Amino acid sequence: VGREPCLGWYPDVLGRAGSYAALRFAAACRKPDVLGIAWGRTLHAMVEQLPRLPACSVVQLVGSVPTLELDVNSLELVRRLAERATGPVFPLHVPLLVESPDMAEALLRDPLAAKTVGMFDSLTRAAVGIGAWAPDASTIRAALSPGDARAVDDAGGVADLCSIGLDADGRQVRAAGLPERCIAIDEDQLRRVPDVIAIAGGADKVPAIRAALRSGLIHRLVTN
């Protein structure tokens, strides 16, 4: 992982992290990159501060995330990034987490969803957040039933990255059928992306950030 200057702790650390990530992400973009974007408040802060980018394709990496904040969601995030990149956009109009692998397979038979998922192997850069595996810090954990959440807890889950559950050593957690029930980029596809920048901060995220680093799935980290 490339060493980047650390951010100090500020009341508006989210905005400062987003600002620095925006600078790094924009500096790396080249026409005709294929940009992937996941979901998270830090990623919203980054996209809000991006300048106009070279003409690049934009791909949504995870399905729709349940949230009460209508302006903080995965579809809105990909729309805002596409405004700055001005290239083709590939949204994912399906839920991130569904009840069963069969339901996920059925949704992926939709031509538009299949077209977006088919772009995952063409990604040249991606921006992702890191979720701490806790009730108030992971959207995926919050969407699981209590029993399924406990199953991932018992399997050692400490983080999620694009819906990929990770244990403390950075290994994927497959409890509760989590990988097969998520409509998102998978571990092997994310690992093949040449440049993945992650944005996460806060003392409560330290174990999750460490797990993400150990996974080898990210190349650059912006954190406080």
Side-chain angles (χ1 to χ4, degrees):
V1 177
R3 183 177 295 273
E4 302 285 8
C6 291
L7 299 168
W9 180 257
Y10 299 92
D12 59 343
V13 65
L14 192 72
R16 291 180 181 270
S19 177
Y20 185 76
L23 289 172
R24 303 302 299 171
F25 192 72
C29 287
R30 300 287 185 273
K31 182 181 179 180
D33 272 338
V34 180
L35 310 177
I37 188 81
W39 178 84
R41 290 176 180 84
T42 49
L43 293 179
H44 274 269
M46 180 194 83
V47 170
E48 284 298 298
Q49 300 178 78
L50 279 173
R52 187 177 181 88
L53 301 175
C56 300
S57 300
V58 175
V59 182
Q60 185 176 339
L61 299 184
V62 300
S64 297
V65 176
T67 174
L68 294 177
E69 300 173 70
L70 296 181
D71 61 337
V72 180
N73 63 71
S74 47
L75 280 170
E76 177 65 12
L77 185 54
V78 78
R79 183 191 69 80
R80 293 181 184 181
L81 178 56
E83 286 179 347
R84 288 154 174 79
T86 67
V89 59
F90 298 86
L92 201 50
H93 294 283
V94 292
L96 168 59
L97 179 69
V98 295
E99 287 295 318
S100 69
D102 287 343
M103 186 179 294
E105 289 181 9
L107 288 170
L108 285 173
R109 286 196 287 271
D110 173 78
L112 291 178
K115 185 176 182 180
T116 295
V117 171
M119 291 296 295
F120 291 166
D121 289 328
S122 300
L123 295 167
T124 57
R125 304 188 193 283
V128 302
I130 301 172
W133 195 258
D136 58 349
S138 169
T139 303
I140 297 174
R141 192 187 191 284
L144 290 172
S145 69
D148 286 344
R150 283 194 299 273
V152 179
D153 293 344
D154 293 343
V158 300
D160 65 80
L161 188 72
C162 293
S163 85
I164 302 162
L166 300 173
D167 67 13
D169 293 320
R171 296 172 300 203
Q172 185 172 24
V173 174
R174 307 191 70 89
L178 194 59
E180 293 78 18
R181 293 170 55 194
C182 289
I183 303 177
I185 192 168
D186 65 31
E187 182 187 26
D188 290 339
Q189 290 168 323
L190 185 60
R191 197 175 297 281
R192 289 195 292 270
V193 179
D195 181 25
V196 179
I197 185 170
I199 314 166
D204 59 330
K205 288 272 185 90
V206 168
I209 292 169
R210 184 181 295 118
L213 291 171
R214 288 174 173 169
S215 75
L217 292 169
I218 64 176
H219 304 101
R220 294 187 284 160
L221 172 68
V222 175
T223 187
N224 64 305

